[in-house]
Amino acid sequence: MATTEQPFVGTPRKVTAHLTQNEKLSFEISSPGKKAYKLPPLDVPEVDPAQLLGKAAREDTGTLPELSEIEIIRHFTRLSTWNYAIDLGMYPLGSCTMKYNPRVNEFVSRLEGIAEAHPYQPESLSQGSLQIVKLLQDCLIEITGMDTITLQPAAGAHGEFTGILLARAWHKSKGNARRNILIPDSAHGTNPATAAVCGYQVVNIKSNSQGGIDVAALEQIVNEDTAALMLTNPSTIGVFENQIHKIADILHAKGALLYMDGANMNALCGKTRPGDFGVDVMHLNLHKTFSTPHGGGGPGSGPVACKKILEPFLPIPVVEEGSDGQLRWNYDRPESVGRVRAFYGNFGMFVRALAYTLANGPDGLRQTTEDAVLNANYIRKKLEDVYDLPYTTPSMHEVVFSDRRQVKNGIKTGDLAKRLIDYGFHPYTTSFPLIVPGALMIEPTESESREELDLFVDAMRQIAREADENPELILSAPHSTRVSRLDETTAARKPVLRWKPQPE
Amino acid sequence: MRYLPKSPAERTEMLREIGASSIDDLFSTIPEEYRLKRDLNIPRQMGESEIIDHFKNAAAHNAVGYASFIGAGVYRHYRPVIIDSLVQRGEFLTSYTPYQAEITQGTLQAIFEFQTMICELTGMDIANASMYDGSTGAAEAAMMAVRITGRDGIVVARTVHPEYREVMETYAQHQEHSANEVGYGADGRIDLATLEQALTDKSAAVLVQSPNFFGVVEDIPAIAEIAHKKGALLIVSIAEAISLGIVRPPAEADIVSLEAQSFGVAPSYGGPFCGVLAAKEKYLRQMPGRLVGETKDKDGRRGFVLTLSTREQHIRREKATSNICTNQALVALMATIYMTVYGKQGIKDLAVQNLAKAQYAAKTLSENGKLLFANAPRFHEFVLQTSETAEQLNARLLENKIIGGLSLKKWYPELGNATLWCATELTTKEQIDQAAAVLTEASVATTA
Ligand SMILES: Cc1ncc(COP(=O)(O)O)c(C=O)c1O
């Protein structure tokens, strides 16, 4: 295995060094008069903008780059090679579910009748789009075990916003919107941020020694001021809340609701259904569980599924089937919380998520979940003797270690992560969840072969050894990238958020 | 399942190494009574060719082969081929949010270019890395103004996209701020006198759209003066980004909320699109969403990082400026490539073509109806008032494979039989003439 001949770069089996092209900003390679476009000749009379627009006419369009097509292709292709990607290898970011993004999804989302569909074209000429919406809704309702759904929210956090508004509207319909949302200290930052945006007070609740909900304590906390508990299940340490139904009962007894952050549905699809274990309202992340690409940070899609009691409050419009079998949007829903987004949501993501669901079918979704859980447990087994495992509760789709053993050499999770880059992997999620000091949150997903997992395990074990033998190597990592350890403090203290033309 | 890279033997072997006797051992923490013991009732697993057939069939049930005059916040523009070639590179497509700067410099530099171009086009000092879309961007801008001013009233023009206003209302009703609307005058622009009256010392911001929902360019300097006099901020929402090629940027605004869908993004039945907020530098700390900044690495090399994240939910939790996390990064990249392709001159040439097409369409189509707000400056949309209802008129157009203007009855009943039309560089003279001919027949038919 490891030889010590190349102590500086370690012995990554996955990667070797390779040239990367330098590339300036597009503005810096621009020169006046170059063009990458050609407009067809105008087939209508020319106009004089100054005359039509008067003082609203623009004189100077500002500084946009001027380049030819080949330069633009090279510019962005070169930039692209500076990125790591799922297509290059394992991307074990915990909580992010970086699974394979099937290419057929991209293909079908670009079919002319789908990509060119205008949201306001007549419903009679949108039946194909509406069928996609309807079938995806039906599939997601079945997968979650809930009663109804809206696809309108644009991402997970937007789904949380929508779901909490539903809860609020329901409480309000009973006479009192209530004051508090309970949020475990293990929750993702979007949960408390959402509660605040919806006008609720956040009541943080402490996780128990297993990283889960302390049911007895919860019973004391829930009262008539509690609107809902926002619970991630499996939790952010990858553990199924096996008291989930008890939790739901406690909430329901006080008239509160159970909101589930469904970011971790990749551990559950086809094996168990939130609707069956007491959840009232939840969101899904189509850009996690349902394979729509992350695209460097988005777009996503955050459908919200809920129980019948919340149905009257769903955002408008909702899709309905008429007696003639035609699908249509219904806007006439007096109790609706309103719209959360213009039009119907990130439709292009619905197409991809449906393509993924059809490619899997019931057996494929179940196998996917099983493989995701198998992979996480395999990594746990192969690394638990070298990294500290703060919670030994059985893991589902992700495993969370801590840097406790490495910290004694001055090495933190962020340093280990940077070193992992030299071994040809994207780092795991660092420093989240907050209940694990120095967390290494690893989610392999189902998309990794045993060979790739073994390479990852090998890299992590080598890094653990380096942490003992040569900490400096880790503290100065990565050594193989174009840039290393960027100065984030100065970036924040003296923000440079745009390029500026150099004075001549 | 073809996406899963494991043989049955490998699975068995891995289970053995873990020390589990079967896969269900790994699910034993799920209480027995909640384990699903049947197949999900969803369509069976399909082969790739079947999936393609499924969606081709759906696509065939949408409008294909129609000329369309609908805009209203979603615009059909030509999309250069290289956008798709580039964004389908796996390094962009299948990469996550650039938290690990060393291996996401590509995404980071592209966002930095995006932020710069948005600043140049809008006349603002700073721009974020994207918001979900124009409607949520407008709502977030309003909340930003509330935080900045410490006031809670938002005054919104009725000429803002009706669905944007609905979204703002959804956001506002659960915050403690109030939104009230100001109508438009005979020129289709916000009524300045009413605006002046509507503003109080509790008003945090005035929000207008320009070009507005009727396609009319608002008098931004005048609105800014009124807003600022009352200590309120001015938020300008722009739903048609191409307009910035020829319409004066809203430099007097404090915050600009732009929908960049027109920059190379397909209509796609309403999304994914690309909202973005731009603002005056002094409001930086209240800006929601991600920001990319330039910095240096440990050896002094230039590089880019996500920055000022102390505004964001993952650091500030309930005190964050917004709950947004995932944004519309890949769509912002599409817009970036689009702006690079057209560049300084192209964006203007393109905007002028749009202006010319719409001018011709307005002139030609209004021979069979009344062009409303005819004297105000417009970009590429216009409102036509007809003797026929929108339904009658559009039924006839549809028979000729033309999707006519959007009925405004639902939102602006006071305008009678009014339809909103849009022409872009993709609209041909032939299509316009054809639509006009159908309208002529119609009006002949009604008079007869
Ligand atoms: C547990 C959890 N909740 C919520 C979110 C927010 O989802 P999104 O980024 O789609 O808004 C994420 C991911 O970012 C997450 O991991």
Side-chain angles (χ1 to χ4, degrees):
Chain A
M1 264 191 52
T3 68
T4 44
E5 275 154 40
Q6 290 174 293
F8 185 70
V9 291
T11 53
R13 284 200 279 142
K14 187 161 178 277
V15 282
T16 30
H18 182 74
L19 289 182
T20 102
Q21 307 271 328
N22 293 328
E23 181 70 3
K24 296 178 182 170
L25 291 164
S26 55
F27 303 95
E28 296 165 339
I29 53 175
S30 157
S31 51
K34 284 202 266 190
K35 282 181 185 169
Y37 71 96
K38 164 96 185 97
L39 295 176
L42 197 59
D43 60 356
V44 297
E46 287 197 16
V47 293
D48 175 10
Q51 187 217 326
L52 288 180
L53 293 170
K55 59 186 168 92
R58 180 167 199 160
E59 273 143 36
D60 175 13
T61 26
T63 304
L64 293 190
E66 293 171 88
L67 294 166
S68 62
E69 186 167 316
I70 173 65
E71 292 169 292
I72 298 172
I73 284 280
R74 285 206 181 133
H75 178 70
F76 289 102
T77 302
R78 286 171 180 167
L79 295 191
S80 78
T81 63
W82 302 349
N83 276 359
Y84 191 83
I86 301 172
D87 283 4
L88 288 168
M90 182 168 164
Y91 211 124
L93 270 179
S95 212
C96 302
T97 315
M98 295 297 278
K99 62 168 68 184
Y100 171 54
N101 306 144
R103 287 315 195 271
V104 68
N105 300 2
E106 297 306 307
F107 181 85
V108 294
S109 70
R110 286 168 170 82
L111 291 172
E112 190 193 342
I114 289 174
E116 299 298 337
H118 191 289
Y120 289 149
Q121 69 197 29
E123 284 173 0
S124 59
L125 294 175
S126 302
Q127 288 298 303
S129 299
L130 286 160
Q131 284 159 16
I132 290 167
V133 168
K134 180 74 170 63
L135 182 57
L136 179 63
Q137 288 192 174
D138 289 348
C139 289
L140 297 179
I141 287 171
E142 166 69 3
I143 290 165
T144 55
M146 307 298 281
D147 298 326
T148 184
I149 196 164
T150 172
L151 304 184
Q152 204 176 97
H158 203 212
E160 293 171 27
F161 171 69
T162 307
I164 295 300
L165 287 189
L166 294 180
R168 184 173 187 120
W170 180 78
H171 282 299
K172 235 177 148 178
S173 76
K174 303 210 152 340
N176 177 4
R178 302 196 170 194
R179 281 218 323 261
N180 302 328
I181 300 279
L182 309 184
I183 298 180
D185 49 8
S186 56
H188 192 262
T190 51
N191 292 187
T194 295
V197 175
C198 295
Y200 280 114
Q201 294 290 324
V202 173
V203 177
N204 282 299
I205 57 176
K206 253 180 88 66
S207 298
N208 65 16
S209 60
Q210 266 111 63
I213 295 284
D214 183 333
V215 175
L218 183 75
E219 203 149 14
Q220 302 305 308
I221 297 168
V222 179
N223 59 31
E224 271 72 25
D225 281 335
T226 310
L229 165 69
M230 288 181 92
L231 186 70
T232 308
N233 190 29
S235 69
T236 55
I237 55 164
V239 171
F240 192 88
E241 287 284 356
N242 60 6
Q243 303 260 57
I244 185 82
H245 212 283
K246 186 83 201 295
I247 294 169
D249 288 346
I250 292 171
L251 291 160
H252 293 157
K254 291 276 159 73
L257 297 178
L258 176 56
Y259 182 96
M260 186 177 114
D261 180 330
N264 294 339
M265 266 306 279
N266 212 41
L268 307 182
C269 281
K271 301 295 281 185
T272 182
R273 308 191 312 162
D276 294 340
F277 56 68
V279 171
D280 298 299
V281 48
M282 66 179 290
H283 78 263
L284 294 164
N285 299 63
L286 299 188
H287 47 299
K288 300 183 182 192
T289 318
F290 293 88
S291 84
T292 77
H294 277 265
S301 177
V304 171
C306 63
K307 290 284 169 63
K308 194 106 202 136
I309 51 161
L310 299 177
E311 183 167 29
F313 311 107
L314 286 176
I316 49 162
V318 299
V319 73
E320 273 180 6
E321 191 166 345
S323 49
D324 54 358
Q326 293 278 298
L327 295 168
R328 56 159 189 259
W329 291 111
N330 180 359
Y331 293 84
D332 183 19
R333 315 234 332 148
E335 291 187 276
S336 166
V337 295
R339 264 181 184 287
V340 297
R341 186 194 180 285
F343 316 112
Y344 322 111
N346 278 345
F347 177 79
M349 300 298 117
F350 310 165
V351 175
R352 290 167 175 87
L354 181 58
Y356 171 83
T357 306
L358 297 179
N360 273 285
D363 47 341
L365 284 185
R366 184 170 51 227
Q367 181 81 68
T368 294
T369 302
E370 290 174 355
D371 279 6
V373 172
L374 178 66
N375 282 355
N377 278 281
Y378 185 76
I379 288 174
R380 171 171 164 163
K381 182 76 183 178
K382 299 271 172 170
L383 293 179
E384 64 188 354
D385 60 325
V386 286
Y387 291 97
D388 173 61
L389 188 68
Y391 295 102
T392 52
T393 358
S395 296
M396 296 207 65
H397 68 301
E398 63 195 357
V399 54
V400 181
F401 295 105
S402 91
D403 60 14
R404 201 170 58 91
R405 292 195 205 169
Q406 288 73 35
V407 151
K408 63 179 195 294
N409 293 326
I411 292 170
K412 301 198 190 111
T413 175
D415 303 313
L416 298 163
K418 293 291 184 211
R419 183 60 178 151
L420 195 50
I421 294 171
D422 287 332
Y423 283 83
F425 290 94
H426 192 281
Y428 46 77
T429 294
T430 59
S431 315
F432 175 74
L434 303 180
I435 57 166
V436 176
L440 289 67
M441 186 193 215
I442 304 172
E443 180 183 9
T445 84
E446 71 280 6
S447 302
E448 300 314 324
S449 65
R450 179 174 181 171
E451 194 188 3
E452 187 83 2
L453 294 172
D454 284 340
L455 287 170
F456 177 76
V457 165
D458 182 56
M460 289 295 290
R461 296 187 72 88
Q462 286 200 51
I463 294 168
R465 206 171 316 127
E466 289 170 355
D468 283 334
E469 292 167 4
N470 192 356
E472 196 37 50
L473 186 60
I474 296 182
L475 291 169
S476 51
H479 304 282
S480 54
T481 46
R482 316 181 43 81
V483 287
S484 180
R485 302 263 176 166
L486 290 138
D487 182 351
E488 296 186 3
T489 315
T490 306
R493 198 170 296 150
K494 296 197 185 115
V496 178
L497 304 174
R498 53 155 301 174
W499 171 85
K500 286 208 176 101
Q502 298 302 310
E504 315 232 317
Chain B
M1 207 286 123
R2 66 184 182 278
Y3 301 151
L4 300 175
K6 262 186 220 71
S7 70
E10 284 169 335
R11 290 192 179 98
T12 315
E13 177 65 11
M14 286 171 71
L15 279 173
R16 200 185 52 74
E17 289 189 48
I18 292 167
S21 59
S22 79
I23 187 70
D24 279 325
D25 275 11
L26 303 181
F27 289 85
S28 59
T29 48
I30 300 176
E32 170 75 25
E33 69 256 53
Y34 306 126
R35 286 186 223 156
L36 192 66
K37 298 187 187 77
R38 59 167 176 88
D39 275 355
L40 287 166
N41 183 18
I42 59 173
R44 65 158 176 84
Q45 195 175 128
M46 288 184 189
E48 186 168 293
S49 62
E50 292 178 289
I51 295 170
I52 291 172
D53 284 347
H54 178 92
F55 287 98
K56 278 192 171 158
N57 182 50
H61 286 85
N62 283 341
V64 180
Y66 283 74
S68 173
F69 289 91
I70 301 191
V74 181
Y75 302 102
R76 284 177 55 250
H77 291 287
Y78 179 70
R79 304 191 300 275
V81 168
I82 67 167
I83 296 176
D84 246 4
S85 317
L86 289 167
V87 300
Q88 290 207 66
R89 286 189 65 90
E91 299 93 329
F92 284 132
L93 187 75
T94 75
S95 169
Y96 194 71
T97 306
Y99 290 124
Q100 291 290 346
E102 284 92 345
I103 45 171
T104 48
Q105 281 299 303
T107 295
L108 287 162
Q109 181 169 325
I111 298 172
F112 188 77
E113 293 177 0
F114 173 79
Q115 291 175 180
T116 306
M117 292 191 233
I118 297 297
C119 289
E120 287 290 330
L121 283 174
T122 58
M124 293 290 106
D125 303 325
I126 50 166
N128 72 8
S130 70
M131 303 302 286
Y132 301 137
D133 77 332
S135 69
T136 55
E140 291 267 13
M143 296 194 292
M144 183 175 162
V146 167
R147 290 191 301 271
I148 292 168
T149 57
R151 301 173 172 192
D152 60 10
I154 305 289
V155 176
V156 186
R158 258 192 89 214
T159 48
V160 172
H161 194 299
E163 294 196 5
Y164 285 24
R165 283 185 279 134
E166 288 174 34
V167 172
M168 292 180 56
E169 201 183 308
T170 307
Y171 275 77
Q173 68 189 319
H174 306 285
Q175 300 278 327
E176 250 119 54
H177 41 104
S178 59
N180 58 344
E181 295 193 343
V182 172
Y184 52 92
D187 59 356
R189 298 164 135 189
I190 188 170
D191 189 294
L192 296 179
T194 321
L195 172 66
E196 199 147 13
Q197 283 160 17
L199 281 167
T200 69
D201 55 11
K202 294 225 166 61
S203 305
V206 174
L207 190 142
V208 298
Q209 178 178 319
S210 183
N212 69 23
F213 192 64
F214 301 143
V216 174
V217 180
E218 296 279 3
D219 187 351
I220 299 299
I223 299 167
E225 202 183 313
I226 293 170
H228 291 156
K229 212 163 57 194
K230 286 278 169 61
L233 303 189
L234 173 61
I235 304 169
V236 177
S237 162
I238 302 173
E240 172 46 294
I242 303 284
S243 67
L244 287 168
I246 195 62
V247 175
R248 199 179 154 278
E252 297 80 5
D254 299 285
I255 309 170
V256 174
S257 168
L258 178 73
E259 168 55 71
Q261 176 267 328
S262 283
F263 287 162
V265 185
S268 195
Y269 205 50
F273 294 164
C274 176
V276 50
L277 290 189
K280 293 269 157 70
E281 180 136 33
K282 59 183 169 189
Y283 303 131
L284 178 59
R285 305 278 155 179
Q286 291 303 334
M287 177 74 102
R290 298 177 181 142
L291 291 165
V292 169
E294 184 185 312
T295 187
K296 290 202 163 33
D297 83 345
K298 63 177 188 216
D299 300 317
R301 287 172 291 212
R302 177 170 74 181
F304 302 91
V305 290
L306 287 172
T307 192
L308 296 163
S309 53
T310 48
R311 301 162 299 114
E312 291 182 74
Q313 47 74 29
H314 61 282
I315 310 287
R316 287 298 290 284
R317 299 176 81 85
E318 62 266 35
K319 296 197 178 63
T321 52
S322 163
N323 69 340
I324 193 169
C325 179
T326 291
N327 59 14
Q328 301 285 122
L330 196 74
V331 195
L333 176 63
M334 295 170 83
T336 308
I337 300 168
Y338 186 94
M339 290 186 276
T340 313
V341 167
Y342 281 97
K344 187 180 171 67
Q345 186 60 40
I347 199 86
K348 181 170 186 179
D349 293 351
L350 183 65
V352 172
Q353 275 215 358
N354 278 260
L355 199 63
K357 299 274 188 168
Q359 183 64 15
Y360 179 76
K363 189 173 132 284
T364 312
L365 294 170
S366 62
E367 281 161 18
N368 296 294
K370 184 177 172 212
L371 181 66
L372 294 186
F373 320 127
N375 296 324
R378 290 189 306 270
F379 183 51
H380 70 358
E381 287 177 285
F382 54 91
V383 179
L384 208 59
Q385 205 176 43
T386 49
S387 50
E388 277 188 306
T389 66
E391 292 70 31
Q392 288 168 328
L393 175 153
N394 276 321
R396 229 182 306 266
L397 285 165
L398 283 177
E399 281 171 25
N400 292 274
K401 291 225 132 186
I402 298 169
I403 299 175
L406 180 71
S407 172
L408 293 179
K409 188 147 271 167
K410 179 163 110 180
W411 298 304
Y412 304 94
E414 70 277 13
L415 295 178
N417 295 331
T419 40
L420 176 66
W421 297 70
C422 174
T424 72
E425 81 280 7
L426 291 179
T427 316
T428 62
K429 177 171 183 294
E430 197 185 335
Q431 290 169 342
I432 297 167
D433 291 343
Q434 224 178 353
V438 177
L439 291 195
T440 308
E441 272 166 43
S443 56
V444 171
T446 7
T447 24

